[in-house]
Amino acid sequence: MSARRILKLAGRDTETFLQGLITNDIAGLDEGLIYAALLTPQGKFIADFFLLRQDDGVLLDVAEPLADDLKKRLTMYKLRADVTITKSDLYLQRGTGPQPEDAHADPRHPALGWRRYSADAPLDDGTDWDAIRVAHCIPETGIELTPDTFILEMGFDLLNGVDFRKGCYVGQEVTARMRHKTELRKGLRRVRIKGSAPVGTPITAGDKVAGTLFTQSGEHALAYLRFDRATDDMKAADATLSPA
């Protein structure tokens, strides 16, 4: 399980502040844990995270490598808003077995189990998370999700990470245009794989670039593909790929 940092946002303007920035509707906090992202004004990925209302604030669960930059960007955006951003003393516990009473279902997909925030040490129940992600085409920060990512190409709408009915947020115009005015020509897909190749290996179809190989699990993998070049005889180094 990748390291996570749990931030806490507090202050009377916290939820209004977040609503104007993130891809999901902050009203979802009324139901529990929500999944969202912060984008650049050009609609590209900066960070994805989980939000949970707790006591007098909102917890923000983000991958450790993205935490410093995310905090810096949120601080830049808050201007005079009454919002404080601090590191909490909580840790993530995560599993797919019986859900503790104070845990919350992962909002992306039922197969991803539950997430719990506690002062107890981080806990992972041994679940093969890569196998689940590959089976259900779920991208991961730092692997499939990079600064070049457009989130709809990674299926954020299918992961309950975008609300198309909420008001404006950073990157909303580009995201909405991709949703309503264009047909996606590239995106994350599950593929069959024979052999193996490192994450980031280019995929070719004949003599043309067809995409990039990412997470592998058994006989399947996740790949970012140009749909018009996705054939039954794609190559990634010595591995052979085909659409699943």
Side-chain angles (χ1 to χ4, degrees), residues 87-107:
K87 184 179 183 299
S88 81
D89 58 359
L90 301 178
Y91 299 97
L92 172 66
Q93 297 185 328
R94 186 180 180 195
T96 53
Q99 180 172 316
E101 289 186 4
D102 57 348
H104 301 268
D106 191 310

Side-chain angles (χ1 to χ4, degrees), residues 148-200:
D148 290 325
T149 294
F150 288 106
I151 60 170
L152 294 191
E153 293 183 341
M154 290 292 152
F156 257 62
D157 48 339
L158 304 177
L159 301 174
N160 302 308
V162 186
D163 189 299
F164 294 101
R165 296 167 297 178
K166 65 169 285 185
C168 294
Y169 57 87
V170 179
Q172 182 264 347
E173 182 177 353
V174 175
T175 304
R177 186 164 63 247
M178 290 182 71
R179 169 77 169 187
H180 298 294
K181 296 185 178 180
T182 63
E183 180 178 353
L184 293 181
R185 298 180 180 180
K186 297 180 287 185
L188 191 67
R189 291 293 184 268
R190 185 169 177 257
V191 296
R192 295 184 181 89
I193 184 168
K194 293 182 180 179
S196 63
V199 168

